[in-house]
Structure formats: structure tokens, C-alpha cells
Amino acid sequence: MARGKKYLVAGGSVLLVVLVLLLIVSQNLDSWAEEKVKKQVHTQSKGVYELQMAGLDISLLAGSATLDSVRLTPNAAVWQQVQRQSPSQASASLSEVTSSQVQVRGIPFLKLLFGGAFGLSSIHLDNLEWELRKMKEDTSSKPLHEEVGKQFREMAIREIRIKNGTFRYHDSPNRKTPAFSVAGVDLQAEGVQLDSASFRDPDRAYYSKKITASAAQASWVLPDGNYRLKSEKLQASTQAREVTLARLQLLPLRSAAEMSRREGVAVTRFNVQVPAVTMSKVDFGTLFRNSNVYIGTLVVQKPRVQAYKDGRNYPTKGSGLMPHDLVQKLTFGVNIRTTKVRDLYVRYEELAEKAFKTGYVTGSNIDLTLTNLTNDKNLISRKKPAVLRGSGWLMGKAQLQATVRMALLDPNGYHSMEGTIGKGYPAILNPMVEPSMFVRVKSGILQRGSFNIELTNTSAQGSIQLQYDDFKIDLLNKEKERKQGLKSKLKTLVANKLVLKSESEDDGKAPRQGKIQVNRRTERSFLTYWKDCLANGVLSVIGAPM
């Protein structure tokens, strides 16, 4: 017993001495540690970065550290010197980071002192601002865990939280306005581990077991500089596998004329507004590891699209893209099982090559469903195509329904279309056909119609049926005065009486058959190609010269 008491007294004395030493050290630890950290940052970055802070408060007993008004700033001149002397040692980008407060909890100071793997309870960053600037092309393809040191790979962090964060990315050294920015970020990452096992773990994404994030707004200037993509109220959860965006907008930054002048060809200018976008069953792990996009369902609510093209003052040339081209040009894998677009409105305006005024056409209440959108050769073929089903109203008065089957990896661009046309009045198309085709529909009623077409990159053929009554047209002068001259009146009389079949079969009681034979205008888009096929079929049915 006496010996036990002796050991107890000795142990208590040692503990008391340690506590006294810790008290003495802690009184001078903050200033020492602050200078030590600043020096380490300067040394490890070869003078590229300087760390500043208003104060550092360390608690050895609580295992915590609090840094106030933190600022990490790069020195571009030093970076240039490193780049000249040893390019492989110069980072591809520079970061400037500020935070009003950084709190680190659960620090095992003894393990830090004696070495070995350790973990942290949490890292909290308030009012974080991170500005990232690209300085050169990044030739490294290593994942993050292979870039950091061994001590970081062995470190586990239970929670990382960012409150009111801002991120800005500049895609060149001298760019003043950011190419991409996101503000009002609240993020929580749980179970973070920067090692190879976490990288490969299919149940993890971005080295974390779970990430929930939201942002007040985001903005991205597209690489060509013609558009800005904006969104408000972004939310994402790797555990729920969901992403939502509110008020997504594609905003033009240049006029249609300026876009066309820069390209030297007629460019279609878009303005797109989308109130809500929802993505579910998002594979964040695959996106993180391989940059491949896998989404179960993508839903786009009530988009509004306005488009304008000036084909009179600028030439239409180049190569128009097919859906197959868009998919085959992707440099990453994509697999979206179902895409739904609900209540789409489209207004397309065009000043045609020989037109004196702008024509237009509208589509409203359009519902689209696209399945099997992928560039995975194991998932798509002619037997297993992507299928687009759609319905809507043309000029708000005639209903259309169509199904398009697309073998998106077919080298010849093979796809097929079939659909129906509801009752309507062909005169509703006058706002488009008058300015571009110098034709006015005078009268007529379309009772119903159907079509079936097979298409490739170069040509299309198919059939069409139309049932209609009392179809008559006026041929217009090709001068600015739109009234019919004597010559046009004679042409109209011949067209209506001798050429056009103004009624379908059996005095309008049965559909009239027509053929569709079209050589694709390769400089135009696939939408124009599809429109040309339907127009060709209509002309065939009514007996108009082509």
C-alpha cells in the first residue's frame, strides 16, 4: 500500500508538472504557432503564398484552434520565377482565399508532436471566399490523394462545413471577370478521407461519405463568350442523389449581328428561361472519379425559348449538327435514362435570305420525353435507340405528335420519325411562309394527317397522308410591295386551278398520299432538316412543283 501511494504521489506530481508546463506554454503558444504556420506556408510554397491572420487561439486541453480573418494570397511574380526556373514545380493555378474565421476541433496535439496517423472532429469556415486563377494548362492527371502528402492521406476528418462561401474561377491569368462563380454556398461534408480507398469506394463521392450543399446563385460564361448560364437556389445531396436548380437562364451577351459577324456566318441567337430543373438518381461517385454523367431522371419545367436568325445579311454555311454529332462529340460518358420537358414554349424568328421582313413560328404546350440518351455503345443501337416522344401546338392552333427513334452512335446518322397532325388551318403558317417563300395561304382546312420518315446524314425518304378541304394560295411579288401584280395573279390562278389539288381524295373525305424525298442541306440544323421533310411531303400531297 505504501508503495502504491508512493507511485500515486509521483504520478500526481508528474501530472501537476505537465499541467504547469502546458499552462506556461499555452501563454506563449498562440504567437509562436502563428509565426510557425506563416513560415511553413511561405517555405512549403517556395515563397508563392503568404498567410495572414488577425489572430490564432489554440486550446491544448480542448484540442482546438481558431483563426480569425485569415487571408492566403499568392505572389504572381514569384510564381513566374518558379515557372521559368522549374516549370514542373509551378502549379497550374493560383488561389486567393479569405475567411472571417476558421475553427478546427478535435486536434490530437500529442500525435501531431510525436507523429502518426490522426483525425479531426471538424473544420468550420465562415464567409469563405476562394478565387482560383488558371495560370497554365494542367498536364497532371493525378487525383488529389496522390498530390497531397502522406500525413494528409492518413488524416480523417469527421466534418467539414462551409458557411456563406463564394467561389470564382478565372480561365486565364489576365481575365478580370470570372468565367465561373458561385455565391451563398452552404456545404457540409461528412466522413472525409483523402486516400485511395475513399477515392475508389463506390459509396463515396469527393472522398466523402455524404455531402449536402446549397448555393444562392451561380454563373458561367460559355467558352465562346456569347452566353452566360445563370441559376439561382442550387441544391445537391450525394446521399439523396439529387440536384435541383431554380431559375436557370441562358442569357446572350452579344447581339445576333455581333455573333454572326464574329463567326462570318448566320448564327442563331437564343434566350432561354427555365423556372425549375430537377435531377434524380445522380451518380456523383462516377462523376467524381471518371467525369462521366449518369442520371436516372432529368425534369425540365416550363422552359421558354426565343431564337432569332438573320439569314439575309449573313450567309448560311458551315456544317449543321445532327443529334448524333452532338452525342458523338462528347469527350465524356453520358447516360441519362429519362429526360422530361414539360410545357415548353418556343418562338423562332428568321429573316430569310430573300425576305423583306422577319418571319416567325411558335410552338406551345410542348411535352417531350427522351429515353436512353447515352454514348455507351453497350446501351444503344438501332435495336435499342434513344426515343424522343413529343406533343404540342403549332402556332397555338394545330396539334402535332411525333416519335423520333435515334441510333445516336450510328456513323450514318440513321433515325426515324413518325407522327400525326391534328385539325388546323394552314393559314396559321403565313407569318413564316410569306416572308421566306413568297406564298400566302388564302384558305383551307386540314382535317388530319400522318407521316413516317427514315433519315440519315445525307437524305430522307418516307410517306405522308393529309386530309384537307378548300386549299388555295396566293403567289406574292418578290419586291417589297406585297400586293399581287397581274403576273402574280395569273400565277396564282394557274397554281390554284391547274396545279394544286385543293381537296384530298373523294372530295375531301379521304386522305391524299404523298412521298417525302429530301436531300439534307448540310449547313442547316437537324430541326431545319426535319421541317424540310414535312414541307416536302405537304408539297407532294397538294401537287405543288418542287
Side-chain angles (χ1 to χ4, degrees):
M1 290 293 296
R3 182 177 296 179
K5 289 183 179 179
K6 185 186 297 183
Y7 290 145
L8 185 61
V9 172
S13 300
V14 171
L15 179 60
L16 181 61
V17 171
V18 170
L19 290 174
V20 171
L21 288 174
L22 286 174
L23 180 62
I24 296 172
V25 170
S26 64
Q27 291 177 345
N28 301 284
L29 181 61
D30 293 349
S31 59
W32 174 84
E34 182 177 337
E35 292 303 317
K36 182 68 174 179
V37 170
K38 290 180 179 179
K39 185 176 181 180
Q40 280 290 100
V41 169
H42 182 83
T43 302
Q44 293 296 322
S45 67
K46 297 180 172 57
V48 173
Y49 285 101
E50 296 291 339
L51 179 66
Q52 297 174 321
M53 65 186 78
L56 172 62
D57 182 14
I58 295 177
S59 173
L60 293 176
L61 295 178
S64 66
T66 302
L67 296 78
D68 290 322
S69 301
V70 181
R71 187 178 188 88
L72 180 70
T73 55
N75 189 319
V78 176
W79 182 92
Q80 293 287 357
Q81 185 178 359
V82 175
Q83 171 67 15
R84 287 192 299 268
Q85 297 175 353
S86 181
S88 62
Q89 299 298 314
S91 60
S93 61
L94 290 178
S95 294
E96 183 172 351
V97 182
T98 64
S99 177
S100 62
Q101 188 176 81
V102 179
Q103 292 182 325
V104 184
R105 295 189 177 95
I107 305 173
F109 284 107
L110 290 179
K111 286 188 177 180
L112 278 176
L113 184 62
F114 297 106
F118 66 94
L120 299 175
S121 296
S122 64
I123 300 177
H124 291 183
L125 302 101
D126 294 339
N127 302 310
L128 174 70
E129 291 194 23
W130 178 12
E131 193 145 6
L132 180 66
R133 186 175 299 275
K134 178 181 175 181
M135 302 300 291
K136 64 178 183 178
E137 292 298 326
D138 189 358
T139 57
S140 172
S141 58
K142 293 181 179 179
L144 180 61
H145 67 273
E146 294 182 9
E147 297 282 355
V148 300
K150 179 181 178 182
Q151 192 174 37
F152 285 99
R153 289 196 297 270
E154 294 177 346
M155 181 175 61
I157 306 173
R158 188 180 304 167
E159 178 192 72
I160 297 177
R161 180 174 293 177
I162 297 173
K163 183 178 180 181
N164 191 30
T166 300
F167 172 79
R168 304 182 188 92
Y169 172 69
H170 301 257
D171 56 7
S172 66
N174 300 316
R175 179 166 183 154
K176 294 183 179 179
T177 58
F180 174 78
S181 64
V182 59
V185 176
D186 289 332
L187 180 145
Q188 182 175 351
E190 299 178 10
V192 182
Q193 180 96 38
L194 293 177
D195 59 12
S196 59
S198 296
F199 178 79
R200 297 187 181 93
D201 189 346
D203 295 325
R204 286 174 174 260
Y206 307 96
Y207 299 102
S208 305
K209 290 182 178 179
K210 175 184 176 183
I211 299 177
T212 55
S214 64
Q217 60 181 11
S219 175
W220 177 40
V221 177
L222 272 58
D224 60 9
N226 285 336
Y227 295 94
R228 181 187 302 276
L229 186 64
K230 293 182 65 177
S231 180
E232 298 179 8
K233 295 182 181 179
L234 291 81
Q235 292 184 315
S237 169
T238 60
Q239 189 174 52
R241 300 176 65 191
E242 291 181 346
V243 177
T244 60
L245 303 93
R247 291 199 64 197
L248 184 66
Q249 304 174 75
L250 181 66
L251 303 174
L253 300 177
R254 299 183 176 118
S255 67
E258 187 177 0
M259 291 182 189
S260 298
R261 279 197 303 270
R262 286 173 171 268
E263 295 295 325
V265 297
V267 174
T268 303
R269 180 181 185 265
F270 292 92
N271 189 315
V272 182
Q273 309 280 332
V274 185
V277 177
T278 303
M279 289 170 267
S280 59
K281 296 183 180 179
V282 181
D283 192 337
F284 288 98
T286 297
L287 178 63
F288 164 60
R289 286 183 289 273
N290 306 315
S291 299
N292 294 333
V293 177
Y294 290 176
I295 300 173
T297 303
L298 170 63
V299 180
V300 182
Q301 298 284 359
K302 296 185 176 181
R304 297 293 179 264
V305 180
Q306 292 183 314
Y308 171 76
K309 182 177 182 179
D310 183 352
R312 180 180 178 185
N313 298 304
Y314 301 94
T316 299
K317 58 183 181 180
S319 179
L321 295 176
M322 299 280 283
H324 307 65
D325 299 323
L326 296 171
V327 171
Q328 293 173 26
K329 286 178 179 291
L330 295 176
T331 58
F332 55 88
V334 63
N335 182 5
I336 305 177
R337 304 317 302 155
T338 303
T339 301
K340 298 178 181 179
V341 180
R342 294 294 175 259
D343 194 16
L344 165 66
Y345 174 83
V346 178
R347 180 185 175 95
Y348 175 72
E349 300 180 11
E350 180 176 347
L351 182 61
E353 182 180 357
K354 297 180 181 180
F356 298 106
K357 68 176 183 178
T358 301
Y360 73 92
V361 64
T362 66
S364 57
N365 300 111
I366 300 172
D367 288 340
L368 302 172
T369 300
L370 175 61
T371 58
N372 199 31
L373 174 57
T374 181
N375 55 6
D376 186 338
K377 63 182 180 180
N378 298 313
L379 298 176
I380 194 165
S381 64
R382 284 202 183 190
K383 293 183 178 180
K384 297 186 295 183
V387 180
L388 174 64
R389 292 183 172 88
S391 65
W393 292 83
L394 181 64
M395 303 295 281
K397 296 181 179 180
Q399 189 173 30
L400 298 177
Q401 292 182 329
T403 298
V404 185
R405 293 176 171 84
M406 300 173 286
L408 292 172
L409 299 185
D410 188 286
N412 298 315
Y414 175 81
H415 59 296
S416 66
M417 295 176 60
E418 61 181 4
T420 60
I421 308 170
K423 184 176 180 179
Y425 299 87
I428 63 175
L429 296 176
N430 282 337
M432 177 56 75
V433 299
E434 281 187 27
S436 60
M437 300 177 67
F438 304 103
V439 171
R440 178 189 297 123
V441 179
K442 188 175 181 180
S443 65
I445 299 175
L446 175 64
Q447 302 294 348
R448 60 189 174 93
S450 63
F451 56 89
N452 198 310
I453 317 168
E454 290 189 324
L455 311 92
T456 67
N457 285 330
T458 57
S459 63
Q461 59 183 0
S463 62
I464 188 170
Q465 293 182 338
L466 296 177
Q467 183 178 344
Y468 59 95
D469 301 297
D470 191 31
F471 184 74
K472 294 180 181 180
I473 64 170
D474 284 339
L475 299 181
L476 306 177
N477 291 326
K478 294 186 178 181
E479 288 82 25
K480 288 188 177 181
E481 177 55 56
R482 273 292 186 261
K483 294 181 180 180
Q484 281 190 303
L486 177 60
K487 187 175 180 181
S488 292
K489 289 180 179 180
L490 290 174
K491 285 183 178 181
T492 296
L493 180 63
V494 172
N496 286 325
K497 298 300 182 182
L498 302 179
V499 179
L500 299 184
K501 301 169 184 176
S502 61
E503 308 285 342
S504 52
E505 299 287 353
D506 298 329
D507 295 328
K509 295 178 181 179
R512 189 180 291 277
Q513 305 285 335
K515 289 185 178 180
I516 296 173
Q517 292 181 323
V518 172
N519 290 322
R520 180 191 167 210
R521 292 185 285 169
T522 56
E523 75 280 2
R524 305 301 293 264
S525 72
F526 68 90
L527 292 176
T528 300
Y529 186 22
W530 294 353
K531 182 266 292 180
D532 287 347
C533 290
L534 294 178
N536 177 268
V538 171
L539 294 176
S540 172
V541 167
I542 66 177
M546 292 181 288

